Every structure is written in C-alpha cells, then in structure tokens.
Amino acid sequence: MNSIFIRLKSFFNTITGSIAFYPSFYAVSAILFGLFMKWAEEMNVSKAFQEVFPSLIINDVDTARSILTTLIAGGISMLVFTFSMVMLLLSQAAANYSPRVLPNLISNRKHQFILGAFLATILYNIITVIGIDPSGSDYHLPGLSVLIGIISAFVALAAFVYFIHSISSSIQINNILENIYNKSSKRLQNLIEQQSSQDQFPDTSEWHTYSTNRSGTIQNISVEGLKKSCETCKTKFEMLTTKGKYILDGEALFKSEIELSDTQLTEVHKNFNYSESELVSDNYALGFKQITEIGIKAMSPGINDPGTAIDTIDYLTDLVRLRMLKKDHNIVLNEDKEVIIKLNTTKFEDLIYDIFASYRKYCKEDLSVMGKLLQLFSLCIGRETCEQSYYTTLHLQAQLLIHDAEESISNSHDLDRLKTQFESIETQYHQLSSN
C-alpha cells in the first residue's frame, strides 16, 4: 500500500508540475459548468433571477452576443500574450541562471491558475454564446449565463494585472534563490527531525546484494514500504544508493540479511520510484546544485555578475550549517525499536566537494567571491554539528581554496587579505581539534 501511495504522490507531483495541468483542469471545469448552465437555463433559472435582480440581466440578444464575442476575442489575445510571457520567462531563466531552475518556474501554480482563468473564461463564453439562438415564442435569453460570463471576464482581467506583477518578480534572481533555499531548508529540517539517535548497524559484508531492475533516477524511496518488507521477509536492508542518483540497470541497489525469493524481490523493488524529473522538495541536494550553478553561471564572462555569486554563497552558508546537523546515513527502527534499515544519503564530504570545486575553478581570480567563500568556512567551522569529521571536510576545502588563490591572484596585498581570513579559520579549527 505504501509503495502505491508513494507512486501516486510522485505521479501527482509530476502532473501538477506540468504547466498544462491546471489550465487543462480549469478548461474541463469551464466546459462542464457551461453545459450545466445550459441545462439550468432550460429550467428558466434566468427568469427567476431576473425577478429578484432585474437590473443585472441583459434582455437584448444582440447586446449579449456582442459582449460575449468581444470577451472571447479579448480573452484569446490576453491568453496568447500571457503564454508568450511565460515562455520568455523560462527562456531567460535558462539562459541567465540555470536550466535546472525551470521545473520550479514551470510548477509555479500562480501562473498556471492565471492561464487557467483565461482559458476557462474563453471556453465558458463560447458555450454561452452558442446558446444564444432564439427559436420559438417561449424562448428566454440566458441572461444569468451571460452575467456569469461577464463576471468571469472581470476575474480574468484582475488575474492579468496580478500576472504582470507576479512574472516581473518571479524572474528576479533573489526570489528564485529564496524559493530554492526555502524548499531545500524545509526538506533538510524534516529529515533532521526524523533521523534516529541510533547509529549502530550490523556488519553487512556477508549480506546478499541485489541489483536494480531498470535504469533511471531514484526520486523516492518508500521507507514505510521497506519496513513492511522487512517484517514480511524477516530480514534487514541496507540501501547502497542515494535518492536523486541516476542508477544503471544491473547496478547494486541494496543488501538483504537473508536471501530473497523472486516474489519478495519484486515487492521490494516496488518501493523505489524512478523519475527523470527532479524536485528540490524531494531532494535537498538538488537545491545545493541549483544554487551553485546559478552562482557559477553568474561568474561566466557573458554575465560577469559577482554580486549574484556572493548572494548564492549567503544562501549556501545557511544550508551548509543546517546540513551539518544531519548524519550521512539514517537508521530506521521498527515498532520494537530494533534496527532494520540503513539508508545512505549524499555524504557531507561529497556534497561540499562538488560545491566548492566549482567555485574554486571559476571564481579563484575574484577577490570578493573568494573572501566570501572563506567567510562561509569561518561561519560553519565551530557551528553545532552531529559529526566532528565535518569540520575536517570544511578545513580541507579552505586549504584548497587558499592554494588556488595563491596560484591565481598576483597582487600580494589582495592575497594577504585572504591569508588573514584563512589564518582565522586555521585557529578555529585547531582549537576544535585540541578540545
């Protein structure tokens, strides 16, 4: 059941992340509502409404048809303009920041709602104007339907004004970075709260190793499903891969304490969800990557924006300090508080190396960025951590950073400023080592 739930959750995240999901949903809803109003008009709902609010009902057929036709034409124009602006937004974001930020922008529900409001208004008014076809002496103009069409046009206009504000702010790099940071930190905090204080796990060198049955990126691992498999199969598991990693068919996936049958193995495989779309809300490491790529892209010769690179380091500082509270693996217990599953995550050492190797390569000649990176190490070394080895990892990166600076910066005065910062980091680190 849990494997089905995680698959449904992943499917829901995927379809709702599509820019066409909510517009399509709104369009179908508008068509159904339009058909419902046609049935309601046959029940003389407009006549009853007119008796209560006579001033709100349009009684002239030509006037009603002209208004709806104008609203349809204007709505199509606004829809085309809105769609063009969204595509321009995505193009600029990919060119100036990173293609990885596109899923976050595409899944922006505000823009999807606005597109859906335009599309729903157009389709509803089309159905309504089709119904204005007088025939017979007992014909009544669908005045209430026309009124609803006019009101929906006002709503679409209000959405258009909000769209101009929203799209102008969503393309700003600070808002993009803050959105990525918020999702990453929220995911990290959830994982920190869920991690067990238990750290001991049996030796798995003699356990049975099982491979993946397909290639793809592991987006989610159903822990609850694996716990049930442990209970059913009377075994324990160690995960050999991490969430967000692309794994090839036949690559080692997990270890089991006992040998599993083909049926049992099939059930265990159902707890691994593969998807090519990566979401920061599911994998915090992707947030680190996106922020890093934005910072590196900002330092490219075509953009040359050290200010943005410095902003990315500020966000990374908070995320690194938060990551220091999380272990490199997570131990899962059953209801009897027995250790049954070991989940490996992206190692702190690998995560930090991937981030700062890129900054060292592309920013080593910029004094302000290098100084900001050293400030990051200074703020993180000595910070509360769950593993003392994290300090050693940060100290090593600071050493590599000052080494690259010595080879790239020829001005002795600039280099002395960086060395002063590094000496402060050295003092912090040695004080921690001696304690």
Side-chain angles (χ1 to χ4, degrees):
M1 180 63 67
N2 286 282
S3 62
I4 297 176
F5 173 76
I6 195 173
R7 289 173 184 273
L8 290 175
K9 180 181 178 182
S10 176
F11 175 73
F12 178 78
N13 289 335
T14 300
I15 62 174
T16 54
S18 170
I19 195 173
F21 174 73
Y22 283 102
S24 301
F25 175 77
Y26 276 42
V28 174
S29 300
I31 293 174
L32 295 177
F33 182 69
L35 296 176
F36 169 78
M37 286 305 300
K38 289 194 69 173
W39 171 83
E41 293 294 349
E42 294 178 358
M43 301 292 105
N44 293 327
V45 66
S46 290
K47 183 177 180 180
F49 187 82
Q50 186 176 13
E51 293 176 355
V52 181
F53 302 101
S55 59
L56 297 179
I57 298 296
I58 298 176
N59 294 315
D60 185 72
V61 174
D62 294 333
T63 301
R65 183 181 288 111
S66 299
I67 291 175
L68 292 179
T69 303
T70 303
L71 293 179
I72 293 170
I76 293 175
S77 300
M78 286 196 298
L79 179 64
V80 172
F81 175 78
T82 304
F83 183 78
S84 300
M85 289 296 294
V86 171
M87 292 298 103
L88 180 62
L89 165 70
L90 299 180
S91 176
Q92 289 183 347
N96 296 335
Y97 309 134
S98 168
R100 289 185 182 272
V101 304
L102 293 185
N104 291 329
L105 295 176
I106 290 175
S107 60
N108 189 328
R109 294 187 179 180
K110 296 177 183 178
H111 297 164
Q112 295 183 31
F113 290 155
I114 294 168
L115 288 173
F118 291 158
L119 193 58
T121 299
I122 294 170
L123 293 175
Y124 174 80
N125 286 334
I126 289 175
I127 294 176
T128 302
V129 78
I130 291 174
I132 303 178
D133 184 20
S135 59
S137 58
D138 59 345
Y139 170 76
H140 294 283
L141 180 70
L144 181 59
S145 297
V146 175
L147 177 62
I148 293 176
I150 295 173
I151 294 174
S152 67
F154 283 118
V155 173
L157 285 174
F160 180 75
V161 174
Y162 179 77
F163 170 76
I164 298 299
H165 163 75
S166 177
I167 200 169
S168 62
S169 61
S170 63
I171 194 62
Q172 296 176 13
I173 186 59
N174 288 335
N175 292 331
I176 294 176
L177 288 173
E178 184 176 2
N179 182 41
I180 299 172
Y181 164 77
N182 289 335
K183 290 182 178 180
S184 300
S185 61
K186 182 179 179 181
R187 179 60 180 169
L188 262 174
Q189 288 170 353
N190 289 337
L191 293 175
I192 292 170
E193 292 172 358
Q194 294 172 6
Q195 70 181 359
S196 171
S197 58
Q198 176 64 260
D199 201 36
Q200 300 298 321
F201 197 76
D203 178 35
T204 62
S205 57
E206 302 297 327
W207 286 18
H208 302 273
T209 303
Y210 293 94
S211 303
T212 179
N213 57 356
R214 54 167 293 186
S215 298
T217 301
I218 297 180
Q219 184 181 17
N220 267 313
I221 299 176
S222 175
V223 177
E224 293 299 322
L226 290 175
K227 287 174 65 175
K228 287 194 173 182
S229 295
C230 288
E231 181 181 351
T232 303
C233 304
K234 307 298 181 183
T235 185
K236 299 177 182 178
F237 293 136
E238 179 191 15
M239 300 298 107
L240 302 179
T241 187
T242 60
K243 185 187 295 186
K245 178 183 177 182
Y246 186 87
I247 190 168
L248 299 174
D249 185 15
E251 190 173 345
L253 182 62
F254 69 94
K255 285 186 175 182
S256 173
E257 185 179 25
I258 67 170
E259 187 174 2
L260 302 177
S261 65
D262 291 341
T263 302
Q264 292 172 331
L265 184 59
T266 300
E267 290 301 315
V268 174
H269 276 146
K270 291 180 180 179
N271 297 297
F272 297 88
N273 181 48
Y274 298 82
S275 175
E276 298 308 317
S277 60
E278 297 178 286
L279 300 174
V280 177
S281 55
D282 289 331
N283 183 11
Y284 70 87
L286 183 61
F288 281 86
K289 291 180 182 179
Q290 290 184 359
I291 294 176
T292 301
E293 288 176 357
I294 291 174
I296 300 305
K297 190 68 174 288
M299 293 302 296
S300 64
I303 298 178
N304 192 22
D305 183 13
T308 296
I310 291 174
D311 288 342
T312 62
I313 297 172
D314 287 333
Y315 285 106
L316 286 174
T317 302
D318 276 341
L319 288 178
V320 170
R321 294 171 70 173
L322 189 58
R323 175 59 179 83
M324 292 174 68
L325 301 176
K326 184 185 180 305
K327 300 176 183 178
D328 283 342
H329 60 268
N330 189 26
I331 301 299
V332 180
L333 310 177
N334 60 12
E335 295 180 355
D336 298 327
K337 304 301 180 182
E338 296 178 351
V339 175
I340 55 174
I341 302 173
K342 180 180 180 181
L343 294 170
N344 290 316
T345 61
T346 303
K347 292 184 178 180
F348 182 80
E349 180 181 2
D350 295 338
L351 181 66
I352 295 300
Y353 181 84
D354 290 341
I355 293 171
F356 294 105
S358 300
Y359 277 101
R360 285 190 285 108
K361 177 176 176 60
Y362 296 101
C363 307
K364 57 186 177 183
E365 296 180 357
D366 191 289
L367 178 66
S368 61
V369 177
M370 295 292 276
K372 195 68 176 180
L373 289 171
L374 288 173
Q375 184 184 54
L376 181 151
F377 296 127
S378 177
L379 292 173
C380 292
I381 293 179
R383 173 75 175 181
E384 180 184 357
T385 182
C386 62
E387 298 286 349
Q388 293 295 318
S389 61
Y390 293 173
Y391 295 142
T392 303
T393 298
L394 294 172
H395 178 251
L396 174 60
Q397 288 300 318
Q399 288 179 319
L400 295 174
L401 187 71
I402 201 67
H403 176 270
D404 287 352
E406 289 174 342
E407 293 187 348
S408 303
I409 300 177
S410 58
N411 189 306
S412 59
H413 178 73
D414 291 344
L415 193 57
D416 288 341
R417 290 177 63 88
L418 294 179
K419 287 183 176 180
T420 301
Q421 286 184 267
F422 178 70
E423 289 172 0
S424 176
I425 295 173
E426 287 274 82
T427 302
Q428 284 182 280
Y429 176 71
H430 289 306
Q431 288 178 348
L432 289 170
S433 301
S434 60
N435 291 337

